Amino acid sequence: MNTAFAAPKGIPEYTPPDSAGFAHVRATLIAAADRAGYGLLELPVFEDTGLYARGVGESTDVVSKEMYTFADRGGRSVTLRPEGTAGVVRSVIEHGLDRAGLPVKVHYSGPFFRYERPQAGRYRQLQQVGVEAIGIDDPALDAEVIAVADEGFRALGLTGYRLELTSLGDEDCRPAYRELLTGFLSRLDLDESTRERARVNPLRVLDDKRPEVRALMADAPLLRHHLSPAAAEHHAAVLGHLDDLGVAYVENPRMVRGLDYYTKTTFEFVHDGLGAQSGIGGGGRYDGLMATLGGPPLSGVGFGIGVDRTLLACRAEGVAPWTGARCEVFGVPLGEAARRRLVAMAGELRRAGVRVDLSYGGRGLKGAMKSADRSGARYALVLGDRDLDAGTVGVKDLVSGEQRSVPLDGAVAELVASLGG
Ligand code: HAM
């Protein structure tokens, strides 16, 4: 018996015509990075498992529970990339990109893989657009990275999101704060699994969503109030630059990100129309990561935006700044000679930059016109034997319904002109 295959669980597929929205969101986010001078870095989709274990952190859910890890046929342990930052840093070190001037500014996009429990907005294959700026520890660069993400969302027409940010401090203040928080946590009546979480990373408890734990944590010391002078100064400068850039933010001193490499600036873009999976993008500074992965001690800052969730945010706000049209002109040949002529015209139009599709398979006028309407084209080119004899072609405006005869020889130039080409 034949069994029909289905895509693996938890993977959003984007099929036409809806995929036009996905493509538009991704392209708009990439364009915002491009306008700020971030060059394309095309990363491998899988890497040595150790890169993520060391780079992202063994204590994170991403590494301990969610990685797609397997042995390849040569017996090496490889992992489908769960995120992009570790791969970018590996690539900068491997290719010595820092030697060509700092900061190294790159953007990347594509699928990432996390074995999470699938639900609306949470997938096992998720799509990100990310940027990383490596090698200069300047608060203006943190603000630039944040502004690029904000600009991407704005360019899509989104308004229902907010930027939350905080500082996670540096090596001068984090160890002492960790001790302070650990002391505070040891005096609380926490259940065993929360105690275990606190042992691995006490900061995680700050972000616990359960009301009873939140109540216990109300008086917890916050890193924001224990920053080293340098980290505090850095944070204030980032806020100043964001004000100058006109990027609105709210401070959230309890923010904890799911990855271990963050230092100083950390941020999340949160959308209110998405329910539980409300994070449409996030990132921050990771000043120790380069050295952790065996490179020179260079700083870094970046973001990853979830393309799937950003598309859901567009839907939630009812913004759809993309066209679902597959083509601009749709050819309807009625007969063999007409088909030869229209196939040639389609080639000419495409070379002139016009998007063209045709009716194939010798379909009649009615069926072919239905396809023309469905294609989203502005014009249908209708050509029959009589038109050919007269040296004309019917051009039907599919918006107004108006049809007129145009000389065959001038039809291509006329269509290019009326489509604004
Ligand atoms: P992240 O917060 O783990 O950060 O992921 C970034 C974004 O990817 C999230 O805000 C969310 O929109 C999307 N995302 C994550 N997991 C899923 C999922 N299971 N389903 C759908 N969307 C998801 C990072 O990955 C860091 N590498 C960001 C970064 C770059 N930090 C510094 N540079």
Side-chain angles (χ1 to χ4, degrees), residues 14 19-32 107-111 127-129 156 307-308 310-311:
Y14 297 99
S19 49
F22 176 81
H24 181 86
V25 168
R26 183 176 53 189
T28 304
L29 297 172
I30 292 173
H107 73 78
Y108 52 89
S109 61
Q127 300 272 347
Q128 283 187 8
V129 168
L156 288 166
V307 180
D308 315 273
T310 304
L311 178 60

mmCIF file with all atom_site columns, all heavy atoms in Angstrom, residues 14 19-32 107-111 127-129 156 307-308 310-311:
data_model
loop_
_atom_site.group_PDB
_atom_site.id
_atom_site.type_symbol
_atom_site.label_atom_id
_atom_site.label_alt_id
_atom_site.label_comp_id
_atom_site.label_asym_id
_atom_site.label_entity_id
_atom_site.label_seq_id
_atom_site.pdbx_PDB_ins_code
_atom_site.Cartn_x
_atom_site.Cartn_y
_atom_site.Cartn_z
_atom_site.occupancy
_atom_site.B_iso_or_equiv
_atom_site.pdbx_formal_charge
_atom_site.auth_seq_id
_atom_site.auth_comp_id
_atom_site.auth_asym_id
_atom_site.auth_atom_id
_atom_site.pdbx_PDB_model_num
ATOM 1   N N   . TYR A 1 14  ? 5.880  27.257 3.356  1.00 0.00 ? 14  TYR A N   1
ATOM 2   C CA  . TYR A 1 14  ? 5.302  28.443 2.724  1.00 0.00 ? 14  TYR A CA  1
ATOM 3   C C   . TYR A 1 14  ? 5.064  28.146 1.257  1.00 0.00 ? 14  TYR A C   1
ATOM 4   O O   . TYR A 1 14  ? 6.011  28.028 0.488  1.00 0.00 ? 14  TYR A O   1
ATOM 5   C CB  . TYR A 1 14  ? 6.237  29.639 2.917  1.00 0.00 ? 14  TYR A CB  1
ATOM 6   C CG  . TYR A 1 14  ? 6.392  29.963 4.386  1.00 0.00 ? 14  TYR A CG  1
ATOM 7   C CD1 . TYR A 1 14  ? 7.509  29.521 5.104  1.00 0.00 ? 14  TYR A CD1 1
ATOM 8   C CD2 . TYR A 1 14  ? 5.397  30.643 5.064  1.00 0.00 ? 14  TYR A CD2 1
ATOM 9   C CE1 . TYR A 1 14  ? 7.627  29.786 6.461  1.00 0.00 ? 14  TYR A CE1 1
ATOM 10  C CE2 . TYR A 1 14  ? 5.500  30.913 6.429  1.00 0.00 ? 14  TYR A CE2 1
ATOM 11  C CZ  . TYR A 1 14  ? 6.617  30.477 7.118  1.00 0.00 ? 14  TYR A CZ  1
ATOM 12  O OH  . TYR A 1 14  ? 6.717  30.734 8.459  1.00 0.00 ? 14  TYR A OH  1
ATOM 13  N N   . SER A 1 19  ? 3.456  32.262 0.163  1.00 0.00 ? 19  SER A N   1
ATOM 14  C CA  . SER A 1 19  ? 4.901  32.397 0.292  1.00 0.00 ? 19  SER A CA  1
ATOM 15  C C   . SER A 1 19  ? 5.383  33.786 -0.128 1.00 0.00 ? 19  SER A C   1
ATOM 16  O O   . SER A 1 19  ? 6.490  34.194 0.236  1.00 0.00 ? 19  SER A O   1
ATOM 17  C CB  . SER A 1 19  ? 5.607  31.318 -0.528 1.00 0.00 ? 19  SER A CB  1
ATOM 18  O OG  . SER A 1 19  ? 5.079  31.276 -1.833 1.00 0.00 ? 19  SER A OG  1
ATOM 19  N N   . ALA A 1 20  ? 4.557  34.530 -0.876 1.00 0.00 ? 20  ALA A N   1
ATOM 20  C CA  . ALA A 1 20  ? 4.946  35.897 -1.266 1.00 0.00 ? 20  ALA A CA  1
ATOM 21  C C   . ALA A 1 20  ? 5.151  36.748 -0.013 1.00 0.00 ? 20  ALA A C   1
ATOM 22  O O   . ALA A 1 20  ? 6.063  37.583 0.038  1.00 0.00 ? 20  ALA A O   1
ATOM 23  C CB  . ALA A 1 20  ? 3.875  36.520 -2.161 1.00 0.00 ? 20  ALA A CB  1
ATOM 24  N N   . GLY A 1 21  ? 4.312  36.539 1.002  1.00 0.00 ? 21  GLY A N   1
ATOM 25  C CA  . GLY A 1 21  ? 4.444  37.283 2.254  1.00 0.00 ? 21  GLY A CA  1
ATOM 26  C C   . GLY A 1 21  ? 5.741  36.924 2.962  1.00 0.00 ? 21  GLY A C   1
ATOM 27  O O   . GLY A 1 21  ? 6.476  37.796 3.432  1.00 0.00 ? 21  GLY A O   1
ATOM 28  N N   . PHE A 1 22  ? 6.044  35.632 3.016  1.00 0.00 ? 22  PHE A N   1
ATOM 29  C CA  . PHE A 1 22  ? 7.287  35.189 3.652  1.00 0.00 ? 22  PHE A CA  1
ATOM 30  C C   . PHE A 1 22  ? 8.496  35.805 2.949  1.00 0.00 ? 22  PHE A C   1
ATOM 31  O O   . PHE A 1 22  ? 9.401  36.351 3.585  1.00 0.00 ? 22  PHE A O   1
ATOM 32  C CB  . PHE A 1 22  ? 7.376  33.659 3.614  1.00 0.00 ? 22  PHE A CB  1
ATOM 33  C CG  . PHE A 1 22  ? 8.663  33.129 4.148  1.00 0.00 ? 22  PHE A CG  1
ATOM 34  C CD1 . PHE A 1 22  ? 8.850  32.992 5.514  1.00 0.00 ? 22  PHE A CD1 1
ATOM 35  C CD2 . PHE A 1 22  ? 9.699  32.805 3.291  1.00 0.00 ? 22  PHE A CD2 1
ATOM 36  C CE1 . PHE A 1 22  ? 10.055 32.528 6.018  1.00 0.00 ? 22  PHE A CE1 1
ATOM 37  C CE2 . PHE A 1 22  ? 10.912 32.341 3.786  1.00 0.00 ? 22  PHE A CE2 1
ATOM 38  C CZ  . PHE A 1 22  ? 11.087 32.202 5.152  1.00 0.00 ? 22  PHE A CZ  1
ATOM 39  N N   . ALA A 1 23  ? 8.502  35.730 1.622  1.00 0.00 ? 23  ALA A N   1
ATOM 40  C CA  . ALA A 1 23  ? 9.642  36.266 0.853  1.00 0.00 ? 23  ALA A CA  1
ATOM 41  C C   . ALA A 1 23  ? 9.796  37.767 1.071  1.00 0.00 ? 23  ALA A C   1
ATOM 42  O O   . ALA A 1 23  ? 10.908 38.278 1.201  1.00 0.00 ? 23  ALA A O   1
ATOM 43  C CB  . ALA A 1 23  ? 9.446  35.963 -0.632 1.00 0.00 ? 23  ALA A CB  1
ATOM 44  N N   . HIS A 1 24  ? 8.662  38.463 1.158  1.00 0.00 ? 24  HIS A N   1
ATOM 45  C CA  . HIS A 1 24  ? 8.714  39.914 1.346  1.00 0.00 ? 24  HIS A CA  1
ATOM 46  C C   . HIS A 1 24  ? 9.270  40.269 2.721  1.00 0.00 ? 24  HIS A C   1
ATOM 47  O O   . HIS A 1 24  ? 10.113 41.171 2.844  1.00 0.00 ? 24  HIS A O   1
ATOM 48  C CB  . HIS A 1 24  ? 7.316  40.520 1.169  1.00 0.00 ? 24  HIS A CB  1
ATOM 49  C CG  . HIS A 1 24  ? 7.299  42.003 1.326  1.00 0.00 ? 24  HIS A CG  1
ATOM 50  N ND1 . HIS A 1 24  ? 7.569  42.852 0.276  1.00 0.00 ? 24  HIS A ND1 1
ATOM 51  C CD2 . HIS A 1 24  ? 7.090  42.792 2.405  1.00 0.00 ? 24  HIS A CD2 1
ATOM 52  C CE1 . HIS A 1 24  ? 7.513  44.109 0.715  1.00 0.00 ? 24  HIS A CE1 1
ATOM 53  N NE2 . HIS A 1 24  ? 7.213  44.088 1.998  1.00 0.00 ? 24  HIS A NE2 1
ATOM 54  N N   . VAL A 1 25  ? 8.822  39.562 3.755  1.00 0.00 ? 25  VAL A N   1
ATOM 55  C CA  . VAL A 1 25  ? 9.312  39.841 5.113  1.00 0.00 ? 25  VAL A CA  1
ATOM 56  C C   . VAL A 1 25  ? 10.823 39.615 5.172  1.00 0.00 ? 25  VAL A C   1
ATOM 57  O O   . VAL A 1 25  ? 11.585 40.472 5.628  1.00 0.00 ? 25  VAL A O   1
ATOM 58  C CB  . VAL A 1 25  ? 8.586  38.962 6.159  1.00 0.00 ? 25  VAL A CB  1
ATOM 59  C CG1 . VAL A 1 25  ? 9.275  39.027 7.511  1.00 0.00 ? 25  VAL A CG1 1
ATOM 60  C CG2 . VAL A 1 25  ? 7.122  39.387 6.281  1.00 0.00 ? 25  VAL A CG2 1
ATOM 61  N N   . ARG A 1 26  ? 11.261 38.469 4.673  1.00 0.00 ? 26  ARG A N   1
ATOM 62  C CA  . ARG A 1 26  ? 12.693 38.161 4.721  1.00 0.00 ? 26  ARG A CA  1
ATOM 63  C C   . ARG A 1 26  ? 13.502 39.210 3.947  1.00 0.00 ? 26  ARG A C   1
ATOM 64  O O   . ARG A 1 26  ? 14.502 39.730 4.437  1.00 0.00 ? 26  ARG A O   1
ATOM 65  C CB  . ARG A 1 26  ? 12.945 36.759 4.158  1.00 0.00 ? 26  ARG A CB  1
ATOM 66  C CG  . ARG A 1 26  ? 14.406 36.338 4.250  1.00 0.00 ? 26  ARG A CG  1
ATOM 67  C CD  . ARG A 1 26  ? 14.603 34.917 3.764  1.00 0.00 ? 26  ARG A CD  1
ATOM 68  N NE  . ARG A 1 26  ? 14.048 34.735 2.428  1.00 0.00 ? 26  ARG A NE  1
ATOM 69  C CZ  . ARG A 1 26  ? 13.932 33.553 1.820  1.00 0.00 ? 26  ARG A CZ  1
ATOM 70  N NH1 . ARG A 1 26  ? 14.309 32.466 2.439  1.00 0.00 ? 26  ARG A NH1 1
ATOM 71  N NH2 . ARG A 1 26  ? 13.411 33.463 0.614  1.00 0.00 ? 26  ARG A NH2 1
ATOM 72  N N   . ALA A 1 27  ? 13.047 39.553 2.736  1.00 0.00 ? 27  ALA A N   1
ATOM 73  C CA  . ALA A 1 27  ? 13.788 40.514 1.916  1.00 0.00 ? 27  ALA A CA  1
ATOM 74  C C   . ALA A 1 27  ? 13.830 41.893 2.572  1.00 0.00 ? 27  ALA A C   1
ATOM 75  O O   . ALA A 1 27  ? 14.846 42.596 2.507  1.00 0.00 ? 27  ALA A O   1
ATOM 76  C CB  . ALA A 1 27  ? 13.151 40.603 0.519  1.00 0.00 ? 27  ALA A CB  1
ATOM 77  N N   . THR A 1 28  ? 12.735 42.292 3.221  1.00 0.00 ? 28  THR A N   1
ATOM 78  C CA  . THR A 1 28  ? 12.687 43.617 3.861  1.00 0.00 ? 28  THR A CA  1
ATOM 79  C C   . THR A 1 28  ? 13.651 43.679 5.037  1.00 0.00 ? 28  THR A C   1
ATOM 80  O O   . THR A 1 28  ? 14.346 44.686 5.236  1.00 0.00 ? 28  THR A O   1
ATOM 81  C CB  . THR A 1 28  ? 11.243 43.915 4.335  1.00 0.00 ? 28  THR A CB  1
ATOM 82  O OG1 . THR A 1 28  ? 10.369 43.790 3.216  1.00 0.00 ? 28  THR A OG1 1
ATOM 83  C CG2 . THR A 1 28  ? 11.128 45.318 4.908  1.00 0.00 ? 28  THR A CG2 1
ATOM 84  N N   . LEU A 1 29  ? 13.726 42.596 5.822  1.00 0.00 ? 29  LEU A N   1
ATOM 85  C CA  . LEU A 1 29  ? 14.639 42.564 6.965  1.00 0.00 ? 29  LEU A CA  1
ATOM 86  C C   . LEU A 1 29  ? 16.095 42.563 6.484  1.00 0.00 ? 29  LEU A C   1
ATOM 87  O O   . LEU A 1 29  ? 16.950 43.256 7.043  1.00 0.00 ? 29  LEU A O   1
ATOM 88  C CB  . LEU A 1 29  ? 14.364 41.329 7.837  1.00 0.00 ? 29  LEU A CB  1
ATOM 89  C CG  . LEU A 1 29  ? 12.964 41.277 8.490  1.00 0.00 ? 29  LEU A CG  1
ATOM 90  C CD1 . LEU A 1 29  ? 12.739 39.931 9.169  1.00 0.00 ? 29  LEU A CD1 1
ATOM 91  C CD2 . LEU A 1 29  ? 12.804 42.415 9.505  1.00 0.00 ? 29  LEU A CD2 1
ATOM 92  N N   . ILE A 1 30  ? 16.367 41.817 5.424  1.00 0.00 ? 30  ILE A N   1
ATOM 93  C CA  . ILE A 1 30  ? 17.726 41.793 4.876  1.00 0.00 ? 30  ILE A CA  1
ATOM 94  C C   . ILE A 1 30  ? 18.092 43.176 4.320  1.00 0.00 ? 30  ILE A C   1
ATOM 95  O O   . ILE A 1 30  ? 19.211 43.662 4.510  1.00 0.00 ? 30  ILE A O   1
ATOM 96  C CB  . ILE A 1 30  ? 17.866 40.706 3.783  1.00 0.00 ? 30  ILE A CB  1
ATOM 97  C CG1 . ILE A 1 30  ? 17.761 39.309 4.419  1.00 0.00 ? 30  ILE A CG1 1
ATOM 98  C CG2 . ILE A 1 30  ? 19.183 40.860 3.032  1.00 0.00 ? 30  ILE A CG2 1
ATOM 99  C CD1 . ILE A 1 30  ? 17.722 38.163 3.411  1.00 0.00 ? 30  ILE A CD1 1
ATOM 100 N N   . ALA A 1 31  ? 17.123 43.827 3.660  1.00 0.00 ? 31  ALA A N   1
ATOM 101 C CA  . ALA A 1 31  ? 17.402 45.144 3.062  1.00 0.00 ? 31  ALA A CA  1
ATOM 102 C C   . ALA A 1 31  ? 17.783 46.152 4.149  1.00 0.00 ? 31  ALA A C   1
ATOM 103 O O   . ALA A 1 31  ? 18.654 47.006 3.931  1.00 0.00 ? 31  ALA A O   1
ATOM 104 C CB  . ALA A 1 31  ? 16.191 45.634 2.271  1.00 0.00 ? 31  ALA A CB  1
ATOM 105 N N   . ALA A 1 32  ? 17.147 46.058 5.322  1.00 0.00 ? 32  ALA A N   1
ATOM 106 C CA  . ALA A 1 32  ? 17.484 46.984 6.420  1.00 0.00 ? 32  ALA A CA  1
ATOM 107 C C   . ALA A 1 32  ? 18.937 46.764 6.856  1.00 0.00 ? 32  ALA A C   1
ATOM 108 O O   . ALA A 1 32  ? 19.672 47.725 7.124  1.00 0.00 ? 32  ALA A O   1
ATOM 109 C CB  . ALA A 1 32  ? 16.530 46.783 7.594  1.00 0.00 ? 32  ALA A CB  1
ATOM 110 N N   . HIS A 1 107 ? 25.484 39.845 7.692  1.00 0.00 ? 107 HIS A N   1
ATOM 111 C CA  . HIS A 1 107 ? 24.116 39.384 7.916  1.00 0.00 ? 107 HIS A CA  1
ATOM 112 C C   . HIS A 1 107 ? 23.960 37.983 7.346  1.00 0.00 ? 107 HIS A C   1
ATOM 113 O O   . HIS A 1 107 ? 24.753 37.557 6.495  1.00 0.00 ? 107 HIS A O   1
ATOM 114 C CB  . HIS A 1 107 ? 23.077 40.337 7.306  1.00 0.00 ? 107 HIS A CB  1
ATOM 115 C CG  . HIS A 1 107 ? 22.984 40.286 5.811  1.00 0.00 ? 107 HIS A CG  1
ATOM 116 N ND1 . HIS A 1 107 ? 22.322 39.298 5.121  1.00 0.00 ? 107 HIS A ND1 1
ATOM 117 C CD2 . HIS A 1 107 ? 23.469 41.104 4.866  1.00 0.00 ? 107 HIS A CD2 1
ATOM 118 C CE1 . HIS A 1 107 ? 22.388 39.513 3.826  1.00 0.00 ? 107 HIS A CE1 1
ATOM 119 N NE2 . HIS A 1 107 ? 23.085 40.607 3.636  1.00 0.00 ? 107 HIS A NE2 1
ATOM 120 N N   . TYR A 1 108 ? 22.982 37.245 7.855  1.00 0.00 ? 108 TYR A N   1
ATOM 121 C CA  . TYR A 1 108 ? 22.737 35.874 7.396  1.00 0.00 ? 108 TYR A CA  1
ATOM 122 C C   . TYR A 1 108 ? 21.246 35.604 7.503  1.00 0.00 ? 108 TYR A C   1
ATOM 123 O O   . TYR A 1 108 ? 20.521 36.293 8.231  1.00 0.00 ? 108 TYR A O   1
ATOM 124 C CB  . TYR A 1 108 ? 23.527 34.861 8.254  1.00 0.00 ? 108 TYR A CB  1
ATOM 125 C CG  . TYR A 1 108 ? 23.306 35.016 9.739  1.00 0.00 ? 108 TYR A CG  1
ATOM 126 C CD1 . TYR A 1 108 ? 22.273 34.341 10.394 1.00 0.00 ? 108 TYR A CD1 1
ATOM 127 C CD2 . TYR A 1 108 ? 24.104 35.882 10.490 1.00 0.00 ? 108 TYR A CD2 1
ATOM 128 C CE1 . TYR A 1 108 ? 22.055 34.506 11.755 1.00 0.00 ? 108 TYR A CE1 1
ATOM 129 C CE2 . TYR A 1 108 ? 23.888 36.058 11.853 1.00 0.00 ? 108 TYR A CE2 1
ATOM 130 C CZ  . TYR A 1 108 ? 22.860 35.366 12.475 1.00 0.00 ? 108 TYR A CZ  1
ATOM 131 O OH  . TYR A 1 108 ? 22.632 35.552 13.819 1.00 0.00 ? 108 TYR A OH  1
ATOM 132 N N   . SER A 1 109 ? 20.797 34.615 6.780  1.00 0.00 ? 109 SER A N   1
ATOM 133 C CA  . SER A 1 109 ? 19.387 34.231 6.890  1.00 0.00 ? 109 SER A CA  1
ATOM 134 C C   . SER A 1 109 ? 19.228 32.781 6.485  1.00 0.00 ? 109 SER A C   1
ATOM 135 O O   . SER A 1 109 ? 20.093 32.226 5.808  1.00 0.00 ? 109 SER A O   1
ATOM 136 C CB  . SER A 1 109 ? 18.508 35.123 5.998  1.00 0.00 ? 109 SER A CB  1
ATOM 137 O OG  . SER A 1 109 ? 18.892 34.979 4.654  1.00 0.00 ? 109 SER A OG  1
ATOM 138 N N   . GLY A 1 110 ? 18.113 32.191 6.897  1.00 0.00 ? 110 GLY A N   1
ATOM 139 C CA  . GLY A 1 110 ? 17.860 30.804 6.521  1.00 0.00 ? 110 GLY A CA  1
ATOM 140 C C   . GLY A 1 110 ? 17.237 30.041 7.668  1.00 0.00 ? 110 GLY A C   1
ATOM 141 O O   . GLY A 1 110 ? 16.846 30.624 8.677  1.00 0.00 ? 110 GLY A O   1
ATOM 142 N N   . PRO A 1 111 ? 17.140 28.708 7.500  1.00 0.00 ? 111 PRO A N   1
ATOM 143 C CA  . PRO A 1 111 ? 16.493 27.883 8.518  1.00 0.00 ? 111 PRO A CA  1
ATOM 144 C C   . PRO A 1 111 ? 17.427 27.520 9.673  1.00 0.00 ? 111 PRO A C   1
ATOM 145 O O   . PRO A 1 111 ? 18.621 27.329 9.483  1.00 0.00 ? 111 PRO A O   1
ATOM 146 C CB  . PRO A 1 111 ? 16.112 26.624 7.736  1.00 0.00 ? 111 PRO A CB  1
ATOM 147 C CG  . PRO A 1 111 ? 17.133 26.529 6.654  1.00 0.00 ? 111 PRO A CG  1
ATOM 148 C CD  . PRO A 1 111 ? 17.522 27.934 6.304  1.00 0.00 ? 111 PRO A CD  1
ATOM 149 N N   . GLN A 1 127 ? 12.872 30.186 10.822 1.00 0.00 ? 127 GLN A N   1
ATOM 150 C CA  . GLN A 1 127 ? 13.664 30.996 9.886  1.00 0.00 ? 127 GLN A CA  1
ATOM 151 C C   . GLN A 1 127 ? 14.085 32.284 10.564 1.00 0.00 ? 127 GLN A C   1
ATOM 152 O O   . GLN A 1 127 ? 13.274 32.942 11.212 1.00 0.00 ? 127 GLN A O   1
ATOM 153 C CB  . GLN A 1 127 ? 12.804 31.335 8.660  1.00 0.00 ? 127 GLN A CB  1
ATOM 154 C CG  . GLN A 1 127 ? 12.307 30.122 7.900  1.00 0.00 ? 127 GLN A CG  1
ATOM 155 C CD  . GLN A 1 127 ? 13.280 29.656 6.845  1.00 0.00 ? 127 GLN A CD  1
ATOM 156 O OE1 . GLN A 1 127 ? 14.229 30.356 6.492  1.00 0.00 ? 127 GLN A OE1 1
ATOM 157 N NE2 . GLN A 1 127 ? 13.045 28.463 6.314  1.00 0.00 ? 127 GLN A NE2 1
ATOM 158 N N   . GLN A 1 128 ? 15.345 32.630 10.413 1.00 0.00 ? 128 GLN A N   1
ATOM 159 C CA  . GLN A 1 128 ? 15.838 33.897 10.985 1.00 0.00 ? 128 GLN A CA  1
ATOM 160 C C   . GLN A 1 128 ? 16.535 34.738 9.927  1.00 0.00 ? 128 GLN A C   1
ATOM 161 O O   . GLN A 1 128 ? 17.094 34.205 8.967  1.00 0.00 ? 128 GLN A O   1
ATOM 162 C CB  . GLN A 1 128 ? 16.879 33.635 12.088 1.00 0.00 ? 128 GLN A CB  1
ATOM 163 C CG  . GLN A 1 128 ? 16.314 33.191 13.424 1.00 0.00 ? 128 GLN A CG  1
ATOM 164 C CD  . GLN A 1 128 ? 17.396 33.116 14.507 1.00 0.00 ? 128 GLN A CD  1
ATOM 165 O OE1 . GLN A 1 128 ? 18.538 33.522 14.311 1.00 0.00 ? 128 GLN A OE1 1
ATOM 166 N NE2 . GLN A 1 128 ? 17.025 32.590 15.659 1.00 0.00 ? 128 GLN A NE2 1
ATOM 167 N N   . VAL A 1 129 ? 16.503 36.050 10.160 1.00 0.00 ? 129 VAL A N   1
ATOM 168 C CA  . VAL A 1 129 ? 17.458 36.961 9.537  1.00 0.00 ? 129 VAL A CA  1
ATOM 169 C C   . VAL A 1 129 ? 18.269 37.514 10.702 1.00 0.00 ? 129 VAL A C   1
ATOM 170 O O   . VAL A 1 129 ? 17.693 37.959 11.698 1.00 0.00 ? 129 VAL A O   1
ATOM 171 C CB  . VAL A 1 129 ? 16.753 38.113 8.793  1.00 0.00 ? 129 VAL A CB  1
ATOM 172 C CG1 . VAL A 1 129 ? 17.742 39.201 8.399  1.00 0.00 ? 129 VAL A CG1 1
ATOM 173 C CG2 . VAL A 1 129 ? 16.042 37.581 7.551  1.00 0.00 ? 129 VAL A CG2 1
ATOM 174 N N   . LEU A 1 156 ? 8.167  47.172 7.258  1.00 0.00 ? 156 LEU A N   1
ATOM 175 C CA  . LEU A 1 156 ? 7.056  46.264 6.948  1.00 0.00 ? 156 LEU A CA  1
ATOM 176 C C   . LEU A 1 156 ? 5.706  46.899 7.282  1.00 0.00 ? 156 LEU A C   1
ATOM 177 O O   . LEU A 1 156 ? 4.662  46.388 6.889  1.00 0.00 ? 156 LEU A O   1
ATOM 178 C CB  . LEU A 1 156 ? 7.211  44.962 7.746  1.00 0.00 ? 156 LEU A CB  1
ATOM 179 C CG  . LEU A 1 156 ? 8.326  44.037 7.270  1.00 0.00 ? 156 LEU A CG  1
ATOM 180 C CD1 . LEU A 1 156 ? 8.618  42.964 8.322  1.00 0.00 ? 156 LEU A CD1 1
ATOM 181 C CD2 . LEU A 1 156 ? 7.943  43.393 5.940  1.00 0.00 ? 156 LEU A CD2 1
ATOM 182 N N   . VAL A 1 307 ? 11.683 35.173 11.252 1.00 0.00 ? 307 VAL A N   1
ATOM 183 C CA  . VAL A 1 307 ? 10.915 35.571 10.061 1.00 0.00 ? 307 VAL A CA  1
ATOM 184 C C   . VAL A 1 307 ? 9.487  35.020 10.147 1.00 0.00 ? 307 VAL A C   1
ATOM 185 O O   . VAL A 1 307 ? 8.523  35.712 9.825  1.00 0.00 ? 307 VAL A O   1
ATOM 186 C CB  . VAL A 1 307 ? 11.606 35.083 8.764  1.00 0.00 ? 307 VAL A CB  1
ATOM 187 C CG1 . VAL A 1 307 ? 10.817 35.494 7.529  1.00 0.00 ? 307 VAL A CG1 1
ATOM 188 C CG2 . VAL A 1 307 ? 13.025 35.633 8.686  1.00 0.00 ? 307 VAL A CG2 1
ATOM 189 N N   . ASP A 1 308 ? 9.367  33.767 10.635 1.00 0.00 ? 308 ASP A N   1
ATOM 190 C CA  . ASP A 1 308 ? 8.026  33.167 10.748 1.00 0.00 ? 308 ASP A CA  1
ATOM 191 C C   . ASP A 1 308 ? 7.135  34.024 11.649 1.00 0.00 ? 308 ASP A C   1
ATOM 192 O O   . ASP A 1 308 ? 5.995  34.328 11.317 1.00 0.00 ? 308 ASP A O   1
ATOM 193 C CB  . ASP A 1 308 ? 8.103  31.764 11.366 1.00 0.00 ? 308 ASP A CB  1
ATOM 194 C CG  . ASP A 1 308 ? 9.209  30.908 10.780 1.00 0.00 ? 308 ASP A CG  1
ATOM 195 O OD1 . ASP A 1 308 ? 8.965  30.248 9.766  1.00 0.00 ? 308 ASP A OD1 1
ATOM 196 O OD2 . ASP A 1 308 ? 10.326 30.921 11.336 1.00 0.00 ? 308 ASP A OD2 1
ATOM 197 N N   . THR A 1 310 ? 7.566  37.141 12.542 1.00 0.00 ? 310 THR A N   1
ATOM 198 C CA  . THR A 1 310 ? 7.347  38.491 12.008 1.00 0.00 ? 310 THR A CA  1
ATOM 199 C C   . THR A 1 310 ? 6.217  38.456 10.977 1.00 0.00 ? 310 THR A C   1
ATOM 200 O O   . THR A 1 310 ? 5.385  39.377 10.915 1.00 0.00 ? 310 THR A O   1
ATOM 201 C CB  . THR A 1 310 ? 8.651  39.040 11.388 1.00 0.00 ? 310 THR A CB  1
ATOM 202 O OG1 . THR A 1 310 ? 9.668  38.998 12.389 1.00 0.00 ? 310 THR A OG1 1
ATOM 203 C CG2 . THR A 1 310 ? 8.480  40.472 10.911 1.00 0.00 ? 310 THR A CG2 1
ATOM 204 N N   . LEU A 1 311 ? 6.160  37.382 10.197 1.00 0.00 ? 311 LEU A N   1
ATOM 205 C CA  . LEU A 1 311 ? 5.054  37.228 9.242  1.00 0.00 ? 311 LEU A CA  1
ATOM 206 C C   . LEU A 1 311 ? 3.727  37.089 9.998  1.00 0.00 ? 311 LEU A C   1
ATOM 207 O O   . LEU A 1 311 ? 2.716  37.696 9.614  1.00 0.00 ? 311 LEU A O   1
ATOM 208 C CB  . LEU A 1 311 ? 5.302  36.016 8.341  1.00 0.00 ? 311 LEU A CB  1
ATOM 209 C CG  . LEU A 1 311 ? 4.230  35.684 7.310  1.00 0.00 ? 311 LEU A CG  1
ATOM 210 C CD1 . LEU A 1 311 ? 4.011  36.842 6.332  1.00 0.00 ? 311 LEU A CD1 1
ATOM 211 C CD2 . LEU A 1 311 ? 4.600  34.423 6.530  1.00 0.00 ? 311 LEU A CD2 1
#
